[in-house]
Amino acid sequence: MTTVFLPDGSARDLPAGATGADLAAAIGRSLAKAAVGVTIDGREADLTRPLPGGAKVSVVTDASPEGRHLLRHSTAHVLAQAVTDLWPGARYAIGPPIEDGFYYDFELPGGDHFSDDDLGRIEERMRAIISEDQPFVREEHSVAEGLEIFADQPYKVEIIEGVDRSDDDAAEGVGGAVVSIYRNTDQFVDLCRGPHVPSTGRLGHFKLMKVAAAYWRGDERRPQLQRIYGTAWESKVALEDHLHRLEEAEKRDHRRLGAELDLFHFPPELGGGLVVFHPKGGLVRKLMEDYSRAEHEKAGYEFVYTPHLAKSTLFEISGHLEWYADGMYPPMELEGATYYPKPMNCPMHILVYKSRQRSYRELPLRLFEFGTVYRFERSGVLNGLLRARGFTQDDSHIFCTPEQLPRELADLLAFVLRLLRAFGLTEFEAELATRPEKYVGDPAEWDIATDALRHALEAAGLAYQVAEGEGAFYAPKIDVHVRDAIGRRWQVSTLQVDLQEPQRFDMEFVGADNARHRPFMIHRALFGSIERFFGILIEHYAGAFPAWLAPVQASVLPVRSDHQGYADEVAAALRGIGARVEVVAATEQLGSRVRKAKLEKVPYVLVVGDDDRAARTVGVNARGEERPDRGVALDDFAARLSQEIETHA
């Protein structure tokens, strides 16, 4: 017999040579049906792999994140098999699982290219392979044997030649340099560490999405390949739900809505990645900034303003020229000095701190700025407001004593969550990124900073995962993620304890003991950037901003031209409570004016006619409601709208 241990610590006795599939079957029929792989002492393995005695084993199910990863990896393998069946001589490169899907890169013979019409034919061949229930058979070979197996596949050969001969991880525990492959049939073999599902019959709920171009290894100097993207799930329902979310995401695309709602655009004359806000978009942005400024002022922040560029010496001291020069805009030579547009605001805020000697009585010092920064992102990664070259960060830098750090971080995280909730985002997750293998600074300071960040997360009651070793080489951090209305996950706020800048700039404060001490420095971007957060809000609300953020909060529509005077009275009354109102004159049919206001996503469309004029009422067409509410007293509606605006409902 072989004894293995389950995640709850219990032992399970199995016949010698039992596999992960045998373990799942021994636990229960439903688990056996859902099982697609196992982890053995924390490492993923095929379900068909014999289990070593004494190992800690967990069964990976198809609906788990790990199981979906495995399904997608295996479906990518089937995609490659289908393409090589349909295009003999095709070269296949890499096909990893990605978030919600997978892709595979190909080079077709004779310079041929995929078209979108080919996707249906490829899907049909993939389904035939799946229906054959071909087993995924793992083999391990020497590097020389691997090179021989893939002699006609140059991209696989390059991967094999790059294997570190001393890296046992590449061989999953087998000594020496071992190349692992998976066969479905004698005709098709793929280079892969695995694991895979037991057979192709475990797959089937997939869809190929699109064809794109991709450089080999992401290097524009290397061959350009063709990439087929797809998605795969554990059930038909899960696949359909995902496709529905994609449809919703397309409807919510902030770039399309930005044009339709006349909010902003990216003029080609600016070269890409630089946005201009139109009056309506500028108003929404102003409302976001005004609310943020007011809340920061209440929370004890002090406002600073800093320039958009500085001499190279500043960025040499801060380390940006050493660490981020490739992402900075090119320098300008002016009057014998070299200037750069700033990629970050922190060096400027440090200059404010260092403008005079600081006492412990002044700390914590919380500096805040809407500071515009510039980073030269490659054109291929630009994505509207979500990834731009010029953007404005709601940047804060807090300077405090070591003793103040835990409380300051806890208060700061609570402040971040409260402001995000005010914008209608309520589902939060967080990651605590800890010290990487290669780091700079004192390990004791790293421990202090990491413990303080952990204390802040626990004080906030925020669910979080520890990303071991994922911190920057100079600082640990918290990344706050939100989920939007259709379940997508966005990284927004960051809290980072910087252990290097105070030292690089020789920052000090005079303590109660009259000695000089080094302050801690916290970087904090709450929205991340105004532009990116604006884009997230557009997609979260599908452009239908809550009343307090909407550029126009109410449109007043007189039924006929002789109702214009009363419509103006209604607008004046609402403007008296601070509402943003427009009157749309009766120059078109009422129905077309109502439809236009709804397309512009105005929260309230108010129709006024004879009865309303006589009774001082309005007909309220609230956005999202099927039927209008007629005969609403104007004063009652004004009070309702006023409350929504004041409470940020």
Side-chain angles (χ1 to χ4, degrees):
M1 300 293 288
T2 296
T3 301
V4 297
F5 296 91
L6 303 181
D8 63 2
S10 62
R12 178 73 62 157
D13 293 328
L14 299 168
T19 64
D22 296 327
L23 173 62
I27 294 173
R29 183 180 301 174
S30 61
L31 181 63
K33 184 177 180 181
V36 290
V38 290
T39 61
I40 302 173
D41 292 330
R43 300 185 65 179
E44 293 183 343
D46 294 304
L47 200 60
T48 54
R49 178 170 173 172
L51 302 176
K56 184 176 181 180
V57 181
S58 63
V59 177
V60 176
T61 56
D62 53 10
S64 68
E66 298 81 5
R68 287 172 170 173
H69 182 93
L70 205 156
L71 288 172
R72 291 161 186 161
H73 193 182
S74 301
T75 307
H77 183 109
V78 173
L79 167 60
Q81 183 178 354
V83 168
T84 54
D85 284 350
L86 294 170
W87 282 269
R91 294 171 172 177
Y92 47 111
I94 57 172
I98 55 177
E99 184 176 4
D100 291 342
F102 60 90
Y103 69 79
Y104 218 115
D105 291 343
F106 300 96
E107 182 180 67
L108 296 185
D112 198 2
H113 287 81
F114 295 120
S115 70
D116 288 337
D117 294 338
D118 289 324
L119 296 184
R121 191 157 65 102
I122 298 169
E123 279 192 4
E124 184 179 354
R125 180 59 192 139
M126 290 174 68
R127 296 194 188 282
I129 293 169
I130 288 168
S131 69
E132 294 169 8
D133 197 21
Q134 300 174 6
F136 283 95
V137 179
R138 179 185 175 89
E139 299 176 5
E140 292 176 344
H141 296 271
S142 68
V143 168
E145 290 169 337
L147 292 172
E148 182 178 350
I149 292 169
F150 292 101
D152 61 344
Q153 292 293 331
Y155 300 108
K156 300 297 183 183
V157 166
E158 182 176 328
I159 294 170
I160 294 171
E161 290 177 341
V163 170
D164 183 352
R165 301 300 193 267
S166 64
D167 184 3
D168 285 353
D169 183 57
E172 294 194 334
V174 178
V178 175
V179 173
S180 56
I181 67 171
Y182 281 81
R183 292 186 185 274
N184 287 60
T185 64
D186 290 339
Q187 288 73 39
F188 184 75
V189 61
D190 203 354
L191 177 70
C192 186
R193 290 188 185 181
H196 282 293
V197 297
S199 67
T200 61
R202 294 303 307 270
L203 309 172
H205 305 292
F206 74 93
K207 182 176 178 59
L208 300 184
M209 306 301 294
K210 65 178 181 179
V211 178
Y215 290 107
W216 171 234
R217 300 291 198 187
D219 186 342
E220 58 194 22
R221 296 166 296 184
R222 306 295 300 278
Q224 188 179 72
L225 307 178
Q226 294 182 80
R227 177 171 294 177
I228 295 179
Y229 284 97
T231 187
W233 298 81
E234 72 278 5
S235 68
K236 181 180 179 181
V237 170
L239 173 62
E240 289 176 346
D241 285 347
H242 174 68
L243 296 177
H244 176 69
R245 286 194 299 273
L246 290 181
E247 290 176 8
E248 279 296 309
E250 186 174 352
K251 294 176 187 175
R252 294 165 180 264
D253 189 305
H254 73 282
R255 294 163 296 186
R256 181 174 64 82
L257 289 172
E260 290 178 3
L261 300 177
D262 195 22
L263 300 174
F264 60 84
H265 82 290
F266 289 83
E269 294 85 352
L270 300 184
L274 298 170
V275 64
V276 294
F277 283 87
H278 301 185
K280 287 183 178 180
L283 178 56
V284 176
R285 176 171 175 156
K286 176 183 180 298
L287 293 166
M288 294 167 60
E289 293 182 359
D290 287 350
Y291 178 74
S292 178
R293 283 192 181 95
E295 293 301 309
H296 278 84
E297 189 169 7
K298 291 177 190 175
Y301 287 78
E302 300 184 57
F303 299 96
V304 297
Y305 297 88
T306 61
H308 290 228
L309 73 167
K311 288 184 177 181
S312 60
T313 49
L314 178 65
F315 302 121
E316 288 167 3
I317 297 171
S318 69
H320 288 100
L321 279 180
E322 178 184 353
W323 301 327
Y324 303 114
D326 290 344
M328 294 170 65
Y329 266 83
M332 297 174 281
E333 301 295 331
L334 300 169
E335 296 183 341
T338 303
Y339 289 81
Y340 284 90
K342 64 178 177 181
M344 295 182 182
N345 296 301
C346 43
M348 304 282 193
H349 291 190
I350 292 172
L351 295 181
V352 174
Y353 181 95
K354 283 182 60 67
S355 62
R356 60 179 174 82
Q357 189 177 79
R358 300 287 176 176
S359 164
Y360 73 97
R361 294 186 180 90
E362 299 177 74
L363 305 183
L365 176 63
R366 307 180 186 101
L367 302 181
F368 175 75
E369 176 184 19
F370 282 113
T372 301
V373 298
Y374 302 91
R375 300 177 191 172
F376 194 80
E377 302 280 8
R378 298 262 182 181
S379 58
V381 301
L382 295 176
N383 182 15
L385 297 178
L386 303 180
R387 192 156 182 180
R389 287 173 173 165
F391 49 92
T392 302
Q393 293 184 302
D394 58 332
D395 237 345
S396 178
H397 294 92
I398 297 98
F399 306 96
C400 64
T401 69
E403 296 77 19
Q404 293 168 336
L405 184 64
R407 174 62 183 272
E408 196 64 24
L409 284 170
D411 290 349
L412 180 55
L413 184 57
F415 178 74
V416 165
L417 298 180
R418 182 165 60 81
L419 259 68
L420 291 175
R421 289 188 179 102
F423 286 90
L425 300 167
T426 57
E427 295 186 42
F428 304 110
E429 302 167 6
E431 289 181 356
L432 172 61
T434 61
R435 184 173 70 223
E437 184 176 339
K438 294 181 179 179
Y439 66 94
V440 293
D442 183 348
E445 287 189 338
W446 273 87
D447 292 342
I448 291 170
T450 304
D451 288 345
L453 289 166
R454 185 178 287 109
H455 166 76
L457 288 164
E458 292 170 355
L462 187 60
Y464 71 96
Q465 294 181 336
V466 178
E468 293 287 355
E470 294 297 318
F473 68 89
Y474 57 91
K477 64 175 180 173
I478 292 171
D479 284 329
V480 177
H481 303 259
V482 299
R483 291 198 180 272
D484 68 9
I486 58 173
R488 293 173 300 179
R489 190 170 183 256
W490 303 89
Q491 194 270 313
V492 282
S493 307
T494 297
L495 284 68
Q496 187 174 53
V497 181
D498 194 324
L499 304 176
Q500 288 307 297
E501 295 299 303
Q503 181 175 331
R504 294 181 74 97
F505 281 91
D506 194 25
M507 299 174 68
E508 295 178 337
F509 69 90
V510 178
D513 57 358
N514 285 324
R516 298 182 183 276
H517 302 272
R518 186 88 67 204
F520 273 92
M521 178 180 178
I522 304 169
H523 298 257
R524 189 236 63 193
L526 196 155
F527 295 151
S529 78
I530 290 291
E531 289 81 1
R532 185 171 182 275
F533 195 69
F534 194 131
I536 291 171
L537 289 181
I538 291 173
E539 300 204 1
H540 176 59
Y541 287 115
F545 293 109
W548 77 275
L549 267 180
V552 177
Q553 294 164 326
S555 288
V556 185
L557 280 55
V559 175
R560 300 189 307 267
S561 58
D562 59 319
H563 302 130
Q564 180 73 35
Y566 180 59
D568 291 337
E569 288 182 32
V570 170
L574 296 178
R575 291 184 184 118
I577 64 165
R580 297 181 291 279
V581 188
E582 66 177 6
V583 178
V584 183
T587 56
E588 298 180 50
Q589 292 293 323
L590 178 62
S592 65
R593 286 181 286 147
V594 170
R595 284 192 295 274
K596 183 178 179 183
K598 289 184 175 180
L599 287 172
E600 292 174 352
K601 303 185 185 292
V602 177
Y604 292 103
V605 180
L606 308 179
V607 177
V608 294
D610 289 331
D611 293 342
D612 296 301
R613 181 171 54 188
R616 196 171 170 76
T617 60
V618 292
V620 180
N621 292 262
R623 186 180 58 205
E625 298 290 335
E626 292 186 6
R627 296 181 179 179
D629 191 3
R630 303 193 185 281
V632 177
L634 175 57
D635 289 344
D636 291 346
F637 175 75
R640 168 183 171 181
L641 180 57
S642 178
Q643 183 180 32
E644 284 190 36
I645 295 170
E646 290 176 7
T647 60
H648 301 100

